[in-house]
Amino acid sequence: MPSRTDMPLQVAVIGAGLGGLGAAVALRRQGHSVTVYERYDFAGEVGASLSAASNGSRFLEEWGVDVKAAKPVILKQLIMHNWEDGEVQSTYPLGDYKSKFGTDYNNFHRIDIHKQLIKSAFENEGEGPACVLNVNHKAIEVDAEEGRVKFENGAEISADMIVAADGIRSLTRELIGITPEYTMSTSCCYRCIIGADKLRSLDLEDYISNEAIEYWGGYGINKIVMSPCSNGEVVSCYCFYPASFNNLREDGWNIGATPEQLVETFPDLDPRMKTLMLNAEDIKMWRLYRHQPYPFWTKGKVCLLGDAAHPMMPDQSQGSCMAFEDAGALGIIFKKNFREKYSTKEGLSLYEKLRKPRATRVQEASFRAREDLSERIGWSSSTDRPGKLTIEEVCGYNMREHLDKLVSELEKSEA
């Protein structure tokens, strides 16, 4: 029989996106029993690329996720182009990024990294009991103090911890008493992809071989962000434009559009980028929202994670990394024998204290970067304006040191 301090937690994770699966794997690795509840008939991720800087990739490696199998492109530089003709205006070489920050700067296709997280969560390889997945489970009632969840299909469960990773439109968030305060952004975004073979046929193969995140615009609403993923077989673009252009009101980020619509949105853009757009595939558009920081992230046995806790603009390329950091924090705080130090509720309180200030700072910096590229890590510098978010602060973050410092400060304040 395990001792009281060795007893694993029964954990319910609400949502099977990147953040929810990250939490499932992190807690599995600590020996906890994790069940993931997905509201839909599970079909996997959608979308284009995501960049996982070292502060996110670090946890993927720690959890034993097969990063190589997720087919990343290792980014080597940032490139800024002139809007009208595509001439390179400046570059930011990442240098020996891995020796400085501990991992490569990986650029994934969302689908590829999601598949590897599924394997790490639900297959038997690796430390800890394999997680369980239940689909078609939409949470409609949550008792945070008792740790109970009722689902639309009539099922009811109880758990020692409930991790709400159900996205920007989180239902669990409102069930624990948070009413989001948000406004429509002045920006909307198209995303699209194009295959490497097509790019070669169009004489655009440098967009693959540059191993870079490349930018057009960014000082104002209009901005194009392009990067390769899937072992360089796919190039992904995010194309930001004024919401007033088409007054998009439909919610979601899977709304179809045509190549012609995409090109018409940017009439004075670099002709080479227009050529790419006219040959792009899987073109979708979505409305952006600016969420104010929420007053709390935890209640009783429930905690929020990822976009459910801190929705942010995509302009710092840190949304997935912040979700991985959240998941990593749960794994570190609720390590084996955590009960020797604190209860589950105390651990969740510590999670909020650890994560909320940092995620809020990145969230706020993502709002500023929406229309000012000089706020984006890599292009930002604290020398031109003290207080800017920098690549060193984000990518060089040591969560364990931060946690040790936080615990020491809390102990001193309670003494």
Side-chain angles (χ1 to χ4, degrees):
M1 286 288 291
S3 68
R4 188 184 66 81
T5 57
D6 289 336
M7 289 291 289
L9 290 169
Q10 299 293 317
V11 181
V13 176
I14 311 299
L18 296 172
L21 293 180
V25 177
L27 292 164
R28 173 189 178 180
R29 295 291 179 246
Q30 296 303 321
H32 300 299
S33 178
V34 182
T35 303
V36 179
Y37 298 91
E38 168 58 39
R39 67 183 296 184
Y40 300 114
D41 186 6
F42 198 61
E45 268 285 344
V46 297
S49 66
L50 66 87
S51 58
S54 60
N55 58 308
S57 289
R58 183 175 301 126
F59 288 106
L60 297 174
E61 292 185 1
E62 285 186 15
W63 300 331
V65 176
D66 192 342
V67 171
K68 186 176 181 181
K71 302 185 289 188
V73 169
I74 298 172
L75 297 172
K76 302 294 177 62
Q77 59 183 332
L78 309 181
I79 300 174
M80 189 185 300
H81 296 266
N82 185 53
W83 181 264
E84 289 85 4
D85 60 18
E87 289 295 314
V88 174
Q89 293 181 309
S90 59
T91 62
Y92 180 88
L94 293 170
D96 197 350
Y97 183 94
K98 186 172 183 177
S99 67
K100 185 174 183 179
F101 297 121
T103 77
D104 291 316
Y105 196 153
N106 295 302
N107 207 55
F108 299 107
H109 195 294
R110 297 181 71 90
I111 293 172
D112 295 334
I113 189 60
H114 191 252
K115 286 179 180 177
Q116 295 309 312
L117 283 166
I118 288 171
K119 291 183 178 181
S120 295
F122 304 116
E123 296 187 1
N124 290 325
E125 294 181 4
E127 189 174 359
C131 306
V132 175
L133 174 64
N134 285 327
V135 298
N136 296 313
H137 276 65
K138 178 181 177 181
I140 57 172
E141 293 181 21
V142 173
D143 185 329
E145 297 304 323
E146 296 297 325
R148 294 197 183 102
V149 183
K150 182 176 181 180
F151 298 95
E152 191 175 56
N153 61 12
E156 296 185 38
I157 60 103
S158 60
D160 300 312
M161 183 195 303
I162 300 166
V163 180
D166 47 349
I168 192 170
R169 298 169 194 85
S170 170
L171 299 175
T172 316
R173 183 173 57 209
E174 297 193 29
L175 292 173
I176 66 169
I178 298 173
T179 301
E181 183 181 335
Y182 62 90
T183 55
M184 284 187 173
S185 170
T186 55
S187 306
C188 288
C189 185
Y190 290 95
R191 60 171 171 81
C192 63
I193 59 174
I194 185 169
D197 289 344
K198 179 64 70 68
L199 287 170
R200 294 185 187 103
S201 73
L202 297 168
D203 196 27
L204 300 174
E205 61 269 19
D206 54 305
Y207 291 158
I208 303 166
S209 59
N210 286 338
E211 298 175 302
I213 303 179
E214 307 193 43
Y215 300 84
W216 288 254
Y219 295 93
I221 292 177
N222 283 337
K223 181 172 71 175
I224 311 297
V225 184
M226 182 184 71
S227 58
C229 56
S230 289
N231 286 340
E233 290 305 309
V234 174
V235 163
S236 165
C237 293
Y238 291 89
C239 311
F240 299 88
Y241 66 95
S244 58
F245 180 78
N246 57 9
N247 199 28
L248 177 65
R249 295 284 169 173
E250 189 176 348
D251 206 2
W253 78 315
N254 209 29
I255 306 162
T258 67
E260 291 73 22
Q261 283 177 286
L262 180 55
V263 171
E264 288 168 4
T265 308
F266 306 101
D268 55 350
L269 179 61
D270 170 13
R272 296 185 83 219
M273 274 304 300
K274 284 187 179 182
T275 298
L276 181 154
M277 289 174 173
L278 284 171
N279 290 273
E281 304 165 5
D282 193 29
I283 303 171
K284 308 292 184 183
M285 53 185 170
W286 89 95
R287 192 73 162 83
L288 301 176
Y289 294 87
R290 177 169 179 163
H291 282 240
Q292 297 302 315
Y294 304 140
F296 58 89
W297 287 13
T298 65
K299 182 177 181 180
K301 297 180 180 180
V302 178
C303 71
L304 304 179
L305 182 145
D307 282 346
H310 45 71
M312 56 186 69
M313 293 292 182
D315 298 86
Q316 291 290 358
S317 302
Q318 276 289 308
S320 59
C321 285
M322 286 295 104
F324 294 150
E325 282 194 14
D326 293 345
L330 291 176
I332 292 170
I333 291 169
F334 293 99
K335 61 185 179 181
K336 296 180 178 70
N337 300 326
F338 77 90
R339 288 185 175 90
E340 293 177 355
K341 294 186 176 181
Y342 38 74
S343 67
T344 303
K345 290 183 180 181
E346 289 169 337
L348 289 178
S349 177
L350 189 59
Y351 162 78
E352 180 174 320
K353 289 182 174 68
L354 176 68
R355 293 296 306 137
K356 194 170 186 290
R358 176 170 164 84
T360 298
R361 175 162 164 74
V362 175
Q363 181 187 42
E364 291 171 344
S366 77
F367 296 151
R368 295 194 299 272
R370 172 69 293 279
E371 298 184 27
D372 184 355
L373 191 58
S374 72
E375 292 280 356
R376 202 272 185 195
I377 59 169
W379 299 120
S380 67
S381 171
S382 59
T383 60
D384 63 77
R385 185 178 66 76
K388 271 189 179 181
L389 193 70
T390 64
I391 193 169
E392 291 78 16
E393 178 184 350
V394 173
C395 299
Y397 177 61
N398 187 318
M399 184 179 288
R400 286 176 172 84
E401 285 185 2
H402 184 187
L403 180 61
D404 289 344
K405 181 180 179 182
L406 177 60
V407 169
S408 177
E409 290 172 351
L410 291 171
E411 288 174 348
K412 287 179 182 178
S413 68
E414 292 169 359

